[in-house]
Amino acid sequence: ITVVELMTQVLIVDQENQEEDDDDEDEYESAAKSAFLRLVPLLVKLLRNLLTSGYSPEYDVGGISDPFLQVQILTLLRLLGTDDESASEEMSDVLAQVATNTETAKNAGNAILYECVQTIMAIDADDSLRTLAINILGRFLLNKDNNIRYVALNTLARCIAEAKQHARENEDASDDGPNSAAAALQRHRSTVVDCLKDPDISIRQRSLELIYHLVNEENVESLTAELLNYLVLCPREHRADICTRILRVVERFSPDDRWRVDTLITMLTIAGRECARSVQSATIIYISRSSDDIRAYATHKLVKAMRDDDGTQIGLLVVGTWCIGEYGDLVLKPYSYQPSTTGDAGVETPQTISFMGLEPSSVVSTVEDITTRHSCPEEVKERALTCFTKLSERFAGIADADTVARLHKLVKKYEGSHSLELQLRSCEYDALLNAIKGVKVSVKNPQNSDDMLGMADGGDAPLSSEVVAAAKEALARMPAVDIKVMQRKRPPELGEELGAASFGEDNAPSKTNGTASGGGDLLDLNDIFGGGAAPAPAASTQQNGTSGGAAETTSASDVDLLSDIFSAPAAPAPAAAAPAPAAVDPFAGMTSQPAAPAAAPAAMMDPFGAMPAAAPAAPAAPVAAADPFAAVSAPAAPAVPVAPAAPTAPAAGGDGTDSGPITVPALSHGGLTVEFECTKPDLWNKQSSTLVAKFKNTTDAPIYGLNFQCAVPKYVTMEMKPPTSTTVPVTAGNNKLVTQTINITNSKLGTKNLQLKLKIGFTSKGTKVDHIATCSGFPAGQY
């Protein structure tokens, strides 16, 4: 077992070397793996002997002969059989023997079967062997141990995702064959669905992810019903994601338009307050693209759901209000619908679905009751205002005069609203309704006698037919949206493939030290924050509360905070002979308040881009040291930036060692000043430094929600500790400062100086403030 473990580790290291150096991939394959491939027959024979050997008390565990050695052999065979058809064929028979002859009464047998399944799925096995592996996992789902069931669900999801990925890469291949892994998984569909009722939340979540892979044209109705049932019971924080997944299932596998609309409305009645706005918009689009029969059915059902709702399902109210405004005239007629039957003998005829015709005043009251609730949000009131306006045109000639006048009064209700949007729309809609009636509305301004529709006040002269036609056209039904345009504008994560990014191996953490690549030397991060056009290796970025390995798993949300920082390619900077060089603002493309240009003897090259344009000479005048990053960007001609303040430090001792820390100004913005106190913790290691960021609040109120982030070049490693507090009190009269420690190691000390990208966010006096700066004022050759 020691030899097998050693061979396994050699192959693992070999694979890591291939990933780090793609140019030598063939050499690595021929070195270690090709030598071990000759031992595959020996490994197969050894594994077969373990299966057929009798009872050995020295190595027997739970009735299994040496399970540890069997697991190690299976792991080694998996590494050797990956992408090798000949080796896969040699080990297929023994893998089938392991899968059929291993007992599952004990955990030792389950461990061997689990490793066997992973090996089968990794090598180039035939469909029958893969089906056998899926069946083993299906038996795991019936186990009472939640750990085994969780492992089975996780492995099944990964196997199906890999099969679909393989089918996409090989267009001729298909994952829907009768003997494919997906077809074998369909036979365990009921077992997977039963896992949704498990009290363990982790089991329910993994089974939910797996169900997305089970959906196809044949079972979409039954599985969607299970998803809707789970939507009622699941935690509220998971509902938004489930609603998005249900929308994708409905879009891809819906049997007809009526079922699609019915399912989406049912989903809104369950989770209307949690569903995303994209789900609401998609529901409206599918209703608008349907026939008048389905529009009437959807509007009737939405009116009933809105009456039954307590006002909390915002998504339902938004969609329902829109549909009532567009198709309110359709609900004035009774509607009945009888679902179609499959014609099977003994099947009971479905009941007819009927809706009574509504009175116009009843339709108006339904929407009005929603807007008068104290908890009604403004977005619903905005859509209700549009609804009232359109109903005025829909009910013209149908409703009585009192209802029409009531609608017009509801439209004018918000002319004095505190909401600018409601006030503006109310005035505009009032002008449209008056224009349809031929009434001219004059602007209450003695200097401008034109009415709101741009028609000069001509006394009692009627409005032209063109104006009346334009007003009616503005209130006509909206045209159907092109579904292809909607899908093109959809974010990539809402693509056609269901859950493709939710499975597979865990995301590999980004390394703190990225490998050097061509280009500039300062923070060569052209795409790590989404700003560059070409992909680039990740470099270290850390923020509050991260240290060491925590920085390796920086989330996408944190990455987005610094988008477009490093989008400009680096360029070599020629030396500029100047006694006091000034650093050029590297954020010249970002918007901020421009700062007044200050005189400087010379300017260095922008370390993030090309050389800035020469600025006109300014008269020299003594100026105070200012924050070099106060002017993030100026929209006008580039100005010569202020030279950063020189770091202050006590005089060096006679022995050449530092006698005290060095203070380097980092940034100052919005009343918050940050300074770095730099020290060398180890005199023998000049590359290592400790930076203590000190936060000073110069305002008259505390600063809350401090979030300090830092990015370094690839040749620098960084360990960022959490701040002592996220609340910065007023510094005046307070000797205790908020600090945050950063440990820095500059591997190219002497050739490249330390430079930092800084991002700080905080809340000052109720206002959220974000600021980006660069700190490069460290003493050359020391940091």
Side-chain angles (χ1 to χ4, degrees):
I1 188 171
T2 303
V3 174
V4 175
E5 288 179 348
L6 180 59
M7 295 171 64
T8 303
Q9 291 300 320
V10 170
L11 287 178
I12 292 175
V13 173
D14 185 61
Q15 289 182 355
E16 293 177 353
N17 291 337
Q18 293 181 32
E19 296 174 358
E20 293 178 0
D21 194 350
D22 294 336
D23 297 336
D24 298 336
E25 182 176 356
D26 296 335
E27 178 182 352
Y28 283 124
E29 287 182 354
S30 61
K33 187 173 181 179
S34 60
F36 291 158
L37 283 173
R38 295 193 292 268
L39 302 177
V40 170
L42 181 61
L43 294 172
V44 170
K45 181 179 179 181
L46 178 59
L47 183 58
R48 185 176 285 111
N49 291 339
L50 290 173
L51 294 174
T52 58
S53 62
Y55 174 74
S56 176
E58 185 178 357
Y59 302 106
D60 185 88
V61 178
I64 306 296
S65 178
D66 205 343
F68 298 101
L69 181 56
Q70 290 192 47
V71 169
Q72 287 296 332
I73 293 176
L74 290 170
T75 303
L76 182 57
L77 290 177
R78 181 174 75 248
L79 296 174
L80 294 174
T82 304
D83 300 330
D84 194 297
E85 185 177 355
S86 176
S88 300
E89 185 177 355
E90 290 186 57
M91 62 183 71
S92 294
D93 291 339
V94 71
L95 291 176
Q97 188 176 355
V98 172
T100 54
N101 295 338
T102 304
E103 296 291 336
T104 59
K106 301 291 184 179
N107 272 341
N110 292 330
I112 294 175
L113 287 177
Y114 173 68
E115 199 64 39
C116 181
V117 168
Q118 286 192 306
T119 303
I120 291 174
M121 292 301 178
I123 67 174
D124 297 332
D126 54 12
D127 289 338
S128 60
L129 196 57
R130 290 180 178 270
T131 301
L132 180 60
I134 295 294
N135 292 335
I136 292 174
L137 295 175
R139 293 203 305 268
F140 281 178
L141 293 178
L142 300 174
N143 199 296
K144 295 181 180 180
D145 189 348
N146 279 353
N147 292 325
I148 295 178
R149 298 169 67 196
Y150 181 84
V151 166
L153 290 170
N154 203 32
T155 308
L156 281 171
R158 186 170 64 249
C159 293
I160 300 303
E162 290 175 355
K164 291 189 176 184
Q165 178 68 23
H166 178 73
R168 288 195 299 269
E169 294 176 354
N170 303 275
E171 297 180 357
D172 297 335
S174 175
D175 62 336
D176 298 328
N179 296 323
S180 64
L185 181 58
Q186 290 291 342
R187 292 191 284 271
H188 303 281
R189 185 178 64 205
S190 60
T191 307
V192 176
V193 171
D194 289 340
C195 292
L196 283 177
K197 306 177 180 68
D198 193 278
D200 192 334
I201 181 62
S202 60
I203 298 293
R204 296 201 304 267
Q205 284 299 107
R206 296 314 297 171
S207 61
L208 180 67
E209 298 286 348
L210 186 55
I211 284 177
Y212 297 134
H213 289 283
L214 289 172
V215 178
N216 54 31
E217 289 80 359
E218 290 80 17
N219 58 29
V220 61
E221 295 186 32
S222 60
L223 288 184
T224 303
E226 294 292 342
L227 292 176
L228 292 175
N229 291 335
Y230 179 71
L231 189 61
V232 179
L233 304 174
C234 72
R236 183 168 294 178
E237 59 269 17
H238 297 160
R239 288 185 176 181
D241 178 67
I242 296 176
C243 289
T244 304
R245 296 295 187 97
I246 292 177
L247 172 64
R248 289 154 60 183
V249 168
V250 167
E251 285 180 341
R252 188 176 183 188
F253 301 109
S254 176
D256 54 64
D257 291 341
R258 185 182 299 274
W259 181 87
R260 178 191 290 117
V261 171
D262 197 14
T263 302
L264 292 176
I265 293 176
T266 303
M267 180 183 66
L268 291 176
T269 60
I270 299 173
R273 86 185 80 181
E274 292 87 10
C275 67
R277 180 169 294 183
S278 60
V279 177
Q280 303 171 21
S281 302
T283 304
I284 291 175
I285 289 173
Y286 282 122
I287 294 175
S288 66
R289 291 176 55 85
S290 304
S291 61
D292 284 342
D293 181 68
I294 297 179
R295 290 174 179 174
Y297 169 73
T299 309
H300 269 290
K301 188 168 184 177
L302 285 168
V303 170
K304 182 181 182 302
M306 292 170 66
R307 288 177 171 178
D308 298 338
D309 183 59
D310 59 355
T312 59
Q313 306 295 352
I314 306 301
L316 173 66
L317 301 180
V318 168
V319 176
T321 304
W322 186 91
C323 289
I324 291 175
E326 289 292 323
Y327 315 115
D329 54 326
L330 300 180
V331 300
L332 304 181
K333 304 176 182 178
Y335 180 86
S336 61
Y337 163 71
Q338 183 173 355
S340 60
T341 58
T342 58
D344 296 339
V347 178
E348 185 178 355
T349 303
Q351 295 182 354
T352 302
I353 300 174
S354 300
F355 296 98
M356 296 177 58
L358 303 177
E359 294 294 332
S361 59
S362 177
V363 177
V364 176
S365 298
T366 301
V367 183
E368 183 182 8
D369 292 343
I370 294 173
T371 59
T372 54
R373 288 172 178 162
H374 180 70
S375 60
C376 181
E378 186 173 319
E379 59 176 326
V380 176
K381 292 181 180 179
E382 294 171 358
R383 286 158 178 80
L385 181 59
T386 305
C387 175
F388 293 142
T389 307
K390 292 207 168 188
L391 286 180
S392 299
E393 196 276 334
R394 302 289 186 272
F395 291 166
I398 301 177
D400 55 90
D402 293 339
T403 302
V404 175
R406 178 185 174 190
L407 284 170
H408 200 164
K409 183 179 179 181
L410 289 172
V411 171
K412 299 176 64 176
K413 175 182 176 181
Y414 298 101
E415 287 184 346
S417 173
H418 293 290
S419 171
L420 179 61
E421 179 69 19
L422 287 173
Q423 183 185 119
L424 179 62
R425 298 299 172 228
S426 179
C427 297
E428 292 175 346
Y429 291 159
D430 179 42
L432 281 175
L433 295 178
N434 287 325
I436 293 177
K437 300 175 184 178
V439 178
K440 302 179 70 175
V441 181
S442 299
V443 179
K444 297 179 181 180
N445 188 347
Q447 298 179 358
N448 185 359
S449 60
D450 292 344
D451 62 63
M452 285 188 172
L453 294 176
M455 305 298 296
D457 190 0
D460 297 331
L463 293 176
S464 63
S465 58
E466 290 82 0
V467 174
V468 176
K472 290 184 177 181
E473 184 179 358
L475 299 181
R477 287 181 181 172
M478 293 183 62
V481 178
D482 189 354
I483 195 68
K484 295 182 179 179
V485 175
M486 182 189 72
Q487 292 176 348
R488 282 200 304 267
K489 292 183 177 181
R490 178 168 298 171
E493 62 269 16
L494 300 181
E496 185 179 7
E497 188 57 37
L498 299 180
S502 300
F503 302 108
E505 298 297 332
D506 295 334
N507 295 331
S510 59
K511 298 185 178 180
T512 304
N513 277 342
T515 54
S517 61
D521 52 23
L522 175 61
L523 304 172
D524 193 5
L525 306 174
N526 286 336
D527 198 45
I528 185 174
F529 299 136
S540 60
T541 58
Q542 297 186 16
Q543 60 175 351
N544 291 352
T546 62
S547 63
E552 300 177 358
T553 56
T554 305
S555 63
S557 61
D558 294 332
V559 169
D560 292 338
L561 293 175
L562 299 177
S563 58
D564 291 331
I565 297 180
F566 307 113
S567 57
V584 174
D585 181 15
F587 302 98
M590 303 181 61
T591 59
S592 180
Q593 295 297 330
M604 290 179 58
M605 286 292 294
D606 181 2
F608 299 94
M611 180 165 40
V623 295
D627 180 13
F629 308 106
V632 179
S633 171
V640 179
V642 181
T648 60
D655 55 354
T657 61
D658 294 336
S659 60
I662 296 176
T663 301
V664 177
L667 60 88
S668 181
H669 184 77
L672 182 64
T673 302
V674 183
E675 294 180 348
F676 284 128
E677 186 179 271
C678 310
T679 57
K680 294 289 185 179
D682 301 316
L683 296 179
W684 53 270
N685 187 0
K686 296 297 183 181
Q687 294 183 348
S688 298
S689 306
T690 298
L691 311 182
V692 178
K694 295 184 177 181
F695 303 93
K696 298 180 180 180
N697 180 5
T698 59
T699 65
D700 56 356
I703 289 177
Y704 301 97
L706 176 66
N707 183 20
F708 187 56
Q709 302 179 28
C710 182
V712 295
K714 294 181 179 179
Y715 56 85
V716 177
T717 58
M718 173 178 61
E719 178 187 7
M720 195 170 187
K721 298 181 179 179
T724 57
S725 175
T726 57
T727 300
V728 185
V730 179
T731 304
N734 187 359
N735 296 327
K736 187 176 181 181
L737 298 178
V738 176
T739 61
Q740 186 169 5
T741 302
I742 306 174
N743 295 323
I744 297 291
T745 302
N746 185 358
S747 61
K748 296 186 178 181
L749 182 65
T751 54
K752 295 185 178 180
N753 296 333
L754 176 63
Q755 299 189 40
L756 305 177
K757 280 288 188 188
L758 306 178
K759 165 76 175 184
I760 193 165
F762 55 89
T763 301
S764 177
K765 299 181 180 180
T767 303
K768 187 69 172 68
V769 180
D770 290 305
H771 183 62
I772 301 170
T774 300
C775 181
S776 58
F778 299 96
Q782 300 182 29
Y783 291 91

